Amino acid sequence: MATIDPLAEIVTLLQPMARFSKQVACTAPWHIYRDGTGEPFYCAILEGSCRIAFGTGPAVVLLTGDFVLAPAMRALRIESLDTPPDLPANQPEKLGEGLFHVGRRDGPTDLRMRIGHCRFDTHDAALLVSLLPDQVIVRDQPRLTTLIQLIDEEARAQRAAHELVLERLLEVVLIEAMRSASAIATAPSLARGLADERLAAALRAMHMQPERAWTMAMLAQEAALSRSAFFTRFSRSVGLPPMEYLLIWRMALAKQLLRQPGLGLEQVAQRVGYGSASAFSVAFARRTGMPPARYARAHTM
């Protein structure tokens, strides 16, 4: 049986689609503020340094080569390192196609960055994004900057099949960013769980066989840990208890299957680990707020 990569599966189900990207040159002092959109946001620092903060979180200094990803962007503030507290937010000035400037009109450019916004083209985005970290900061990974440049070039070229190419490039960016940051991740997330060899074994088992009647003891055995040690370690690293994670993944899969014509409730129930359509219907309705049959009628592909 082929090995399943949980992170790749989740990113693929999210179906990332490019909205727009732009290169921004900045002349200090400056700062940009944007309300939270809940959509994916990324930023690659091409040259220079700045500070960035999401929501009420702490500001982080970014340097040349750094990359930031927020799967669901909260309120965003980006600013020069010497920005006074009372400086009004700047509005980027368009210089040309995909090129913008922020800050004073005179003076040297102290920062160049490429920022982009995309969206997840799935009805299950919130459910799946809950398994990802709030934000990812990757340092000294030129591959990511190269990938962002490829996305920008592809978006402008409008060549045949460019939507498909953009989708695949964005999938690679998301996976590359999260796996690059997983080794140093401190916040609970799927990426942090996958960085733990024992937890990764249990996560892969869940994704490989979602139809199996998993118990805590069975998953602990996959991780070669006692039940109590596995529960504590999984909850601390992933941010959810093991059976809650399994339920979220099964419901995400169920939603995808229900949107496919020709599959009955019994078939969907079996594929996501339920012994009967009635048991699956109860669990699905409790989790999503509507019976699976109604969901299927509303979202059939």
Side-chain angles (χ1 to χ4, degrees):
M1 186 179 295
T3 300
I4 297 293
D5 184 333
L7 187 56
E9 276 205 305
I10 287 174
V11 170
T12 300
L13 277 188
L14 282 168
Q15 301 173 49
M17 305 291 289
R19 285 185 54 212
F20 66 88
S21 68
K22 58 189 176 184
Q23 184 171 311
V24 183
C26 306
T27 301
W30 58 273
H31 99 255
I32 303 170
Y33 177 84
R34 292 289 182 267
D35 291 328
T37 64
E39 292 189 327
F41 165 87
Y42 57 82
C43 173
I45 305 301
L46 305 177
E47 181 184 2
S49 58
C50 64
R51 272 193 303 264
I52 188 169
F54 292 99
T56 58
V60 177
V61 174
L62 301 178
L63 306 173
T64 302
D66 289 351
F67 178 86
V68 178
L69 167 70
M73 192 186 87
R74 294 172 291 160
L76 167 70
R77 181 184 175 101
I78 311 179
E79 61 188 14
S80 56
L81 299 183
D82 60 352
T83 296
D86 58 349
L87 182 72
N90 300 99
Q91 291 299 318
E93 177 187 3
K94 187 172 183 178
L95 303 179
E97 185 62 33
L99 297 174
F100 290 79
H101 181 266
V102 172
R104 301 196 328 265
R105 291 176 180 268
D106 60 323
T109 296
D110 65 292
L111 177 78
R112 288 190 307 112
M113 61 183 172
R114 185 170 298 282
I115 64 175
H117 299 263
C118 51
R119 62 184 174 87
F120 292 136
D121 193 28
T122 174
H123 301 286
D124 316 321
L127 188 67
L128 293 166
V129 167
S130 70
L131 303 177
L132 303 178
D134 288 339
Q135 67 187 57
V136 172
I137 297 177
V138 182
R139 302 191 186 275
D140 195 26
Q141 288 290 336
R143 285 164 56 107
L144 282 165
T145 301
T146 300
L147 285 167
I148 296 306
Q149 290 171 337
L150 287 173
I151 288 172
D152 186 62
E153 290 170 8
E154 187 64 37
R156 296 178 195 285
Q158 295 292 315
R159 290 175 290 195
H162 83 283
E163 290 290 347
L164 180 60
V165 173
L166 281 172
E167 183 178 338
R168 294 295 177 265
L169 284 171
L170 282 168
E171 287 176 358
V172 174
V173 165
L174 293 175
I175 294 169
E176 183 71 22
M178 283 181 279
R179 75 179 184 180
S180 296
S182 63
I184 57 172
T186 55
S189 68
L190 173 62
R192 183 178 167 191
L194 290 171
D196 184 318
E197 184 178 343
R198 295 201 175 186
L199 297 183
L203 284 162
R204 284 194 294 269
M206 283 188 244
H207 281 253
M208 192 175 296
Q209 296 180 286
E211 76 283 356
R212 191 173 178 184
W214 291 107
T215 64
M216 186 73 70
M218 293 163 66
L219 290 170
Q221 186 176 16
E222 293 285 339
L225 294 167
S226 69
R227 279 186 295 180
S228 60
F230 171 68
F231 178 87
T232 301
R233 192 156 156 177
F234 190 103
S235 302
R236 184 184 301 123
S237 294
V238 179
L240 295 167
M243 302 310 287
E244 176 69 9
Y245 177 94
L246 178 61
L247 176 62
I248 288 177
W249 177 238
R250 282 173 166 170
M251 292 299 107
L253 282 178
K255 285 184 172 183
Q256 182 197 38
L257 293 170
L258 287 167
R259 294 197 300 272
Q260 297 177 10
L263 282 180
L265 284 186
E266 285 286 353
Q267 292 172 292
V268 175
Q270 289 174 5
R271 292 193 189 186
V272 296
Y274 290 87
S276 68
S278 59
F280 166 66
S281 296
V282 170
F284 188 91
R286 183 183 300 124
R287 187 76 199 189
T288 66
M290 72 171 66
R294 189 197 309 168
Y295 180 91
R297 287 194 297 271
H299 298 95
T300 298
M301 294 175 178

